[in-house]
Amino acid sequence: MNNESQNSITDDLLMIIPVRNVVIFPGAVSHISIGREMSVVAAEQAVAEERRLGLLLQHDPAMDEPRAEDLHSVGTIVSVVRFVTAKNGTKHLIVQGEQRFRTAGFVQGAPCLAARFDVIADSGSGDAEVRARANLVKERTAEIINLLPEAPAEFNVALAAVENAGALADMVAGFLEVSPAEKQKLLETADVRERLDAVLGALDEQLKVLQISHEIGAKSKEKIDERQREYLLREQLKTIQHELGDDEAGSDLDEIDAAITAAGMPEAVAREARKELKRLRGIPDSSTEHSMLRTYLDWLTELTWQASEAEAVDIAKARAILDEDHYGLEKIKRRILEYLAVRKLNPQGRSPILCFVGPPGVGKTSLGRSIARALGLEFVRASLGGVHDEAEIRGHRRTYVGSMPGSIIQSIRQAGTNNPVFMLDEMDKLGSGFHGDPSSALLEVLDPEQNSTFADNYLGVPFDLSKVLFIGTANVIDNVPGPLRDRMEVIELPGYTQDEKLEIAERYLLERQLAANGLSNAQASIDRPALVELIDGYTREAGVRNLEREIGALFRHATMRIAEGSDRSVAIGKTDVSEILGPRKFDREAQMRTSVAGVATGLAWTPVGGDILFVEATAVPGQGQLILTGQLGDVMKESAQAAISLAKGRLDQLPMERDWLAQNDLHVHVPAGAIPKDGPSAGVAMFVSVMSLLSNRKVRSDIAMTGEISLRGLVLPVGGIKEKTLAALRAGIKTVLLPARNRKDLQDIPESARAELKFIWLETAEDALAAAFEPDETVKAA
Ligand SMILES: Nc1ncnc2c1ncn2[C@@H]1O[C@H](COP(=O)(O)OP(=O)(O)OP(=O)(O)O)[C@@H](O)[C@H]1O
Ligand SMILES: [Mg+2]
């Protein structure tokens, strides 16, 4: 080797990195870690100057500072793909092999190893013999890949795509499991045919090794099978011992067998169960499969397969029970009794599925419980709120680890009968996701044609749901998926008036909360004015759930006092309420708000049973702009604009200068709150609030209004009259202004509410003005 001196590394030189035990073939991308100072210098310079590097294998991998003579003279020219320093300081090169080279003299004095070089080209490729060998290489490699379970499947594809025989040999050589020295030999073989032969030789070798190890694997598997046979024999022995009566443990698998018989499953199901039991006997107790199978069989045997005791419909008794549990709700109870009567007369017939719809806390769930009690049936419920995966209804296949039946079968098992009253709660909160639509599974549940063979994925055998009495509940019927809605008969529970709540509290809630707090009638009481105060100032709801909670809070206080020994009995009156519960949570808001001109009380429909809202109008110096705030929806904005145009048209009835409008901006605001603010039904309230502002007259504090308004000043009908009316009552409103064309909805409003409220029916905007203002402040007609 002729060494010469060189200080800088010129372009005709190759910077060399000595490697200890990797050979990288042209075409391969590979990773090497570098640590030696001179290698790092070479790598850094290569990156900085975008130069290629030469890799040369050391003769002795243990040598730390190899010199020229310690390296093989044939190596690979590589380009640097990436040069990274890991967190722990080690440096790594990712390189792509490009060409073979042979050193032609190292230079002295350079900061790293550097050498002149000659590129070595492949020779002797292209003839038929080479092609035949190349094909052979491909075949052998494919065979090997088949024997390697973890080999990447893409490798076969990549292999098939290689056309150049030399490149093929290099590619396969890179993956061969041979020593670096042997790879080096392959690298040094420039003749393609020779290289292919060498690769083939190595492949054959590797194939043989693999085949042998496979055989060994198969042998050891045989051994395992043998062990299983032994286990089976032992099991048989156990059975024989059992038959002979000389085993004491009485294997619990036999108990499952007995349970299968006892469960009275349909023929096909029992057969399936026995098949799985047989399988179970063959699986060692310790394996997870054993416990999975065991759980499955428990599910099968614990479900009720045989007909449960039929419901005993006694209409008079049912009536008594419904009355016992619930105050009022006359129409609804009557409908339920009709329903039960039909079931009694025609037990085989299809009765419709009832769906109770109404705001929270109006008694939907508790009516369901009552029905079960009246019929002497079990009661179960499954909440559908937030369910967005079909598997939650129908279960996961048993192949999943930790799989379970869906909520339908789970509830049925919980019921312990196959004809419970089954409440499907929150049908309006059903989601839908990527994993199958849960509502389609529910359709099957509710369809009398299909539900006698309901298929739960986990059970894998059909289950008969046809005897189950399903009842749905929802807060808003519109949110229940259409096809489900069509299957059910909707029964609406709109909510209670103040008086009804008082009755419910006195007749039911007091007693229930006394019991819940371990108190007797003699120990604690809440008088009527205190209850009214609770209803009025501490709750604002259509139902009675919060009322019941507040009553509970009062009784807890009483329990404390008695437990402390400071009192023997506690009677709670109106003035005690604020002392115990703190100041009122709700005020007669309407009175406060409408104490200035420009504010009108509107009525809104909400899913929880209607509410009041306030429309505020004010004027600020400006240029005749209209400002709308309060996160109004588009329809509501437009209806505001219409109302204001209508008001402007009446300017000559008002005591203001002609150019007042041009010098002021009108600002209409609907304060925030949990009320969704869209739709046209606030038109009348907007018109009245603007007229109130412009005429500087206050709106009466005890009225509330709803209605769409047209540009011509006609009042158009709106929806949700019943809920809105009840909300008005709750808020202490005395008079409601409703569109005349909603008169037909009056019959839906409960008697008691009708008796308490005054209704004014509006044909035109003028009618609203006539009714809205304080008596002495009515706008003078022009
Ligand atoms: N008319 C009534 N008579 C007696 N108690 C009633 C009446 N209405 C409701 N309740 C009681 O009010 C409480 C709340 O009722 P329930 O849980 O049935 O409400 P829900 O309509 O199912 O509400 P949600 O939509 O939130 O599920 C229960 O304790 C129930 O017994
Ligand atoms: Mg409920």
Side-chain angles (χ1 to χ4, degrees):
M1 230 171 268
N2 71 351
N3 296 342
E4 37 186 297
S5 176
Q6 186 100 16
N7 278 322
S8 68
I9 302 165
T10 49
D11 279 349
D12 56 336
L13 292 174
L14 196 59
M15 292 179 285
I16 302 291
I17 289 187
V19 287
R20 295 178 197 265
N21 46 26
V22 273
V23 175
I24 290 170
F25 289 88
V29 174
S30 193
H31 149 267
I32 50 177
S33 34
I34 50 177
R36 288 173 278 198
E37 183 57 34
M38 56 183 180
S39 301
V40 174
V41 170
E44 279 168 355
Q45 192 149 346
V47 171
E49 297 175 10
E50 291 186 29
R51 287 177 61 159
R52 303 187 299 173
L53 290 164
L55 304 186
L56 287 178
L57 186 69
Q58 296 177 198
H59 291 294
D60 175 5
M63 187 170 277
D64 278 335
E65 279 178 34
R67 285 159 305 157
E69 58 269 28
D70 300 320
L71 299 172
H72 286 274
S73 56
V74 172
T76 313
I77 299 176
V78 300
S79 57
V80 178
V81 179
R82 282 186 72 192
F83 179 42
V84 283
T85 307
K87 279 214 181 81
N88 61 8
T90 57
K91 294 183 161 46
H92 304 267
L93 269 180
I94 296 170
V95 295
Q96 159 124 42
E98 293 193 341
Q99 286 165 312
R100 291 174 159 77
F101 78 98
R102 182 186 299 280
T103 52
F106 279 75
V107 295
Q108 298 281 312
C112 62
L113 287 173
R116 299 184 188 288
F117 67 103
D118 297 314
V119 170
I120 307 174
D122 280 357
S123 63
S125 64
D127 62 16
E129 254 181 273
V130 167
R131 278 202 299 280
R133 283 179 167 78
N135 283 338
L136 219 51
V137 165
K138 286 188 184 178
E139 272 172 37
R140 288 282 190 286
T141 313
E143 271 176 67
I144 289 180
I145 287 173
N146 280 341
L147 289 174
L148 293 173
E150 62 272 30
E154 307 83 56
F155 195 79
N156 264 333
V157 181
L159 199 66
V162 183
E163 302 242 323
N164 180 298
L168 174 72
D170 283 345
M171 177 171 171
V172 175
F175 289 97
L176 283 176
E177 282 183 26
V178 294
S179 67
E182 277 176 83
K183 285 197 178 175
Q184 176 68 26
K185 229 182 269 163
L186 287 169
L187 189 67
E188 286 173 13
T189 313
D191 185 88
V192 175
R193 190 168 132 187
E194 255 177 66
R195 202 191 306 156
L196 282 169
D197 278 339
V199 166
L200 267 176
L203 281 176
D204 281 343
E205 193 69 23
Q206 203 158 335
L207 198 55
K208 241 184 260 162
V209 174
L210 271 174
Q211 277 162 347
I212 291 171
S213 68
H214 254 258
E215 271 168 36
I216 297 172
K219 278 221 182 89
S220 56
K221 189 166 173 296
E222 255 168 47
K223 258 191 215 150
I224 293 171
D225 287 346
E226 215 167 297
R227 233 179 284 152
Q228 204 154 25
R229 205 172 85 89
E230 189 185 309
Y231 174 79
L232 279 180
L233 285 174
R234 273 187 204 292
E235 281 299 317
Q236 281 172 4
L237 186 67
K238 261 194 227 163
T239 323
I240 294 167
Q241 282 171 338
H242 178 63
E243 294 289 321
L244 293 175
D246 56 9
D247 72 324
E248 66 277 46
S251 125
D252 54 346
L253 295 189
D254 296 341
E255 278 167 30
I256 299 183
D257 199 335
I260 293 175
T261 314
M265 303 170 177
E267 196 50 41
V269 178
R271 217 178 307 127
E272 175 72 19
R274 289 242 148 72
K275 197 181 95 201
E276 294 292 23
L277 179 61
K278 197 168 147 206
R279 205 155 72 80
L280 183 64
R281 288 186 194 276
I283 302 172
D285 300 16
S286 52
S287 80
T288 43
E289 203 185 344
H290 185 98
S291 66
M292 275 167 69
L293 207 48
R294 182 71 218 251
T295 315
Y296 172 69
L297 285 168
D298 285 348
W299 271 102
L300 279 190
T301 51
E302 280 173 33
L303 283 170
T304 307
W305 296 90
Q306 266 165 341
S308 302
E309 198 166 319
E311 61 197 50
V313 188
D314 175 342
I315 300 296
K317 187 178 144 220
R319 164 98 244 178
I321 287 178
L322 287 181
D323 281 342
E324 203 173 298
D325 294 346
H326 295 92
Y327 170 80
L329 302 173
E330 277 315 313
K331 244 165 99 181
I332 290 143
K333 288 178 188 165
R334 207 175 320 127
R335 180 63 195 97
I336 293 173
L337 290 171
E338 276 168 27
Y339 172 84
L340 297 181
V342 172
R343 267 178 91 91
K344 177 176 181 163
L345 288 184
N346 184 9
Q348 301 312 320
R350 285 182 206 153
S351 36
I353 289 147
L354 300 180
C355 184
F356 297 147
V357 176
V362 292
K364 299 182 295 294
T365 306
S366 76
L367 269 175
R369 266 182 220 286
S370 249
I371 292 177
R373 198 159 83 88
L375 295 175
L377 299 176
E378 291 297 319
F379 177 82
V380 284
R381 51 186 286 267
S383 179
L384 302 176
V387 168
H388 49 65
D389 186 344
E390 190 179 0
E392 289 179 59
I393 309 275
R394 219 195 252 293
H396 281 291
R397 289 190 186 291
R398 266 195 292 145
T399 42
Y400 280 91
V401 175
S403 55
M404 286 251 279
S407 54
I408 300 290
I409 292 296
Q410 288 194 28
S411 300
I412 293 287
R413 164 156 142 178
Q414 189 196 334
T417 64
N418 59 11
N419 63 347
V421 172
F422 195 136
M423 186 156 263
L424 296 163
D425 254 337
E426 308 198 338
M427 297 194 79
D428 52 343
K429 315 274 184 337
L430 202 61
S432 78
F434 320 111
H435 303 291
D437 188 349
S439 68
S440 69
L442 277 179
L443 272 181
E444 190 184 324
V445 170
L446 297 183
D447 184 351
E449 301 278 352
Q450 295 182 56
N451 70 8
S452 59
T453 55
F454 174 69
D456 183 279
N457 290 326
Y458 179 84
L459 285 192
V461 292
F463 190 87
D464 184 358
L465 293 176
S466 62
K467 298 289 176 293
V468 178
L469 200 162
F470 287 104
I471 298 176
T473 83
N475 291 136
V476 189
I477 190 66
D478 294 346
N479 296 349
V480 178
L484 283 176
R485 210 185 313 149
D486 291 346
R487 295 263 146 104
M488 302 188 293
E489 179 179 331
V490 171
I491 295 186
E492 286 192 62
L493 291 89
Y496 300 112
T497 62
Q498 310 294 86
D499 287 346
E500 286 171 325
K501 287 186 191 175
L502 191 58
E503 291 289 341
I504 294 174
E506 288 191 324
R507 290 176 195 217
Y508 299 90
L509 308 182
L510 286 182
E511 208 168 307
R512 227 181 280 161
Q513 286 302 318
L514 275 176
N517 287 286
L519 294 168
S520 73
N521 266 328
Q523 282 176 306
S525 63
I526 302 176
D527 69 10
R528 190 173 259 247
L531 286 175
V532 171
E533 178 67 7
L534 280 186
I535 295 171
D536 240 30
Y538 291 83
T539 62
R540 179 182 289 169
E541 55 178 352
V544 292
R545 185 168 291 138
N546 292 331
L547 177 58
E548 183 165 3
R549 195 174 302 140
E550 298 295 351
I551 290 174
L554 291 182
F555 280 147
R556 267 200 304 286
H557 174 82
T559 314
M560 266 262 293
R561 294 251 299 267
I562 293 169
E564 281 170 350
S566 49
D567 280 302
R568 308 203 67 211
S569 70
V570 182
I572 297 167
K574 184 177 174 192
T575 47
D576 302 319
V577 174
S578 64
E579 252 167 61
I580 301 171
L581 298 179
R584 280 171 147 248
K585 292 177 187 157
F586 301 99
D587 264 308
R588 292 270 152 135
E589 233 181 326
Q591 275 165 29
M592 279 167 29
R593 297 282 199 112
T594 53
S595 59
V596 293
V599 181
T601 310
L603 291 169
W605 179 90
T606 73
V608 295
D611 208 345
I612 55 170
L613 56 74
F614 299 96
V615 180
E616 302 174 345
T618 186
V620 288
Q623 292 146 354
Q625 307 269 5
L626 170 61
I627 307 164
L628 293 172
T629 54
Q631 295 187 336
L632 313 183
D634 285 342
V635 179
M636 195 154 179
K637 277 189 191 148
E638 283 171 11
S639 96
Q641 273 152 353
I644 285 152
S645 296
L646 193 64
K648 284 182 185 169
R650 279 167 174 65
L651 227 47
D652 50 356
Q653 302 171 12
L654 302 169
M656 44 198 32
E657 306 286 315
R658 276 261 122 224
D659 54 357
W660 182 89
L661 267 182
Q663 290 161 6
N664 288 280
D665 288 345
L666 263 185
H667 185 169
V668 175
H669 180 58
V670 184
I675 305 172
K677 280 172 287 187
D678 203 4
S681 77
V684 170
M686 293 195 162
F687 172 68
V688 169
S689 80
V690 173
M691 287 304 281
S692 159
L693 172 80
L694 298 183
S695 59
N696 195 24
R697 290 182 163 107
K698 283 188 268 180
V699 179
R700 281 169 47 181
S701 65
D702 59 350
I703 69 163
M705 59 204 81
T706 184
E708 182 176 354
I709 210 157
S710 82
L711 269 183
R712 288 284 161 86
L714 291 179
V715 176
L716 308 175
V718 295
I721 293 295
K722 182 176 47 188
E723 289 85 356
K724 287 174 175 175
T725 313
L726 290 175
L729 253 185
R730 283 200 290 282
I733 299 290
K734 297 278 186 288
T735 304
V736 285
L737 277 50
L738 304 174
R741 283 162 64 186
N742 276 116
R743 224 186 263 265
K744 59 176 177 3
D745 297 315
L746 191 60
Q747 59 180 42
D748 291 344
I749 300 171
E751 279 287 348
S752 53
R754 262 189 273 168
E756 277 183 60
L757 281 172
K758 185 174 166 209
F759 295 89
I760 293 179
W761 303 100
L762 310 175
E763 300 275 0
T764 65
E766 305 301 332
D767 296 342
L769 294 183
F773 295 117
E774 296 286 355
D776 53 327
E777 298 195 38
T778 314
V779 180
K780 285 181 206 79

